[in-house]
Amino acid sequence: VVLVLFVVLQRRNAALEFGAGRRVALEGEQRRLRALIGASHDLIVVIDAEGRISWASPSVATFLGIPEDEVVGFVPTDVLHPEDLPDVAVTLAALRSGAASPVRVECRIRPGGDAADDRWVEIVASNAIREPGIGGLIRQNGALQSRRHLIHERFHHALGFG
């Protein structure tokens, strides 16, 4: 009986040590992932079924001008250029209803609400509504301003305007 109890206790301790080791490894991976996402200039958001942000990467403050602690519940279409809103809405609705994932769309955002603040971005969105722990659309926004500016500059130069 003592030997059996000793073996059971040894196995339990080994399982606890293994569990503690897994927890430490998981915490390390979580810190690593937070650091990688935090260092990215692209914005990553999760949009819930109501179209509101349920999670955002730290770059939300620089990308949209919204403090990170105020972004949950924000409706990201509120910062889209009015002319681009219909295309983006159709694309995201198609994604929600089962279109192939991911989808890409280029549009302008107006983070300050002023036309002078307009910036071109590329949105890449994937449907993760059925993914445990996500339950929404994953949307990554990347700046296109410099590429668009270069194309515009080359076009005007080719026409003899610059």
Side-chain angles (χ1 to χ4, degrees), residues 43 57-68:
L43 171 63
S57 62
S59 60
V60 70
T62 55
F63 208 91
L64 296 180
I66 302 166
E68 189 178 353

Side-chain angles (χ1 to χ4, degrees), residues 107-161:
C107 62
R108 291 162 289 180
I109 60 170
R110 190 172 276 183
D114 184 2
D117 294 333
D118 283 1
R119 287 185 278 162
W120 280 97
V121 297
E122 176 185 42
I123 297 173
V124 179
S126 300
N127 187 333
I129 290 172
R130 292 192 171 95
E131 288 291 323
I134 297 177
L137 301 181
I138 300 173
R139 202 173 103 177
Q140 177 184 352
N141 298 2
L144 292 175
Q145 194 66 27
S146 57
R147 187 172 81 186
R148 287 259 178 188
H149 181 71
L150 181 61
I151 291 169
H152 179 77
E153 223 174 62
R154 286 184 179 169
F155 176 74
H156 282 281
H157 181 69
L159 293 176
F161 294 119

Side-chain angles (χ1 to χ4, degrees), residues 21-93:
R22 286 186 65 197
R23 187 181 71 247
V24 169
L26 180 59
E27 288 170 356
E29 283 299 310
Q30 289 174 339
R31 281 193 304 277
R32 180 174 180 251
L33 183 59
R34 277 193 299 272
L36 289 170
I37 290 173
S40 174
H41 294 287
D42 287 351
L43 171 63
I44 303 169
V45 296
V46 175
I47 302 171
D48 65 18
E50 287 80 39
R52 298 183 179 283
I53 294 176
S54 61
W55 180 88
S57 62
S59 60
V60 70
T62 55
F63 208 91
L64 296 180
I66 302 166
E68 189 178 353
D69 60 343
E70 295 177 18
V71 75
V72 171
F74 180 77
V75 179
T77 53
D78 288 351
V79 296
L80 288 178
H81 189 284
E83 293 174 9
D84 299 335
L85 184 56
D87 289 340
V88 173
V90 166
T91 301
L92 294 179

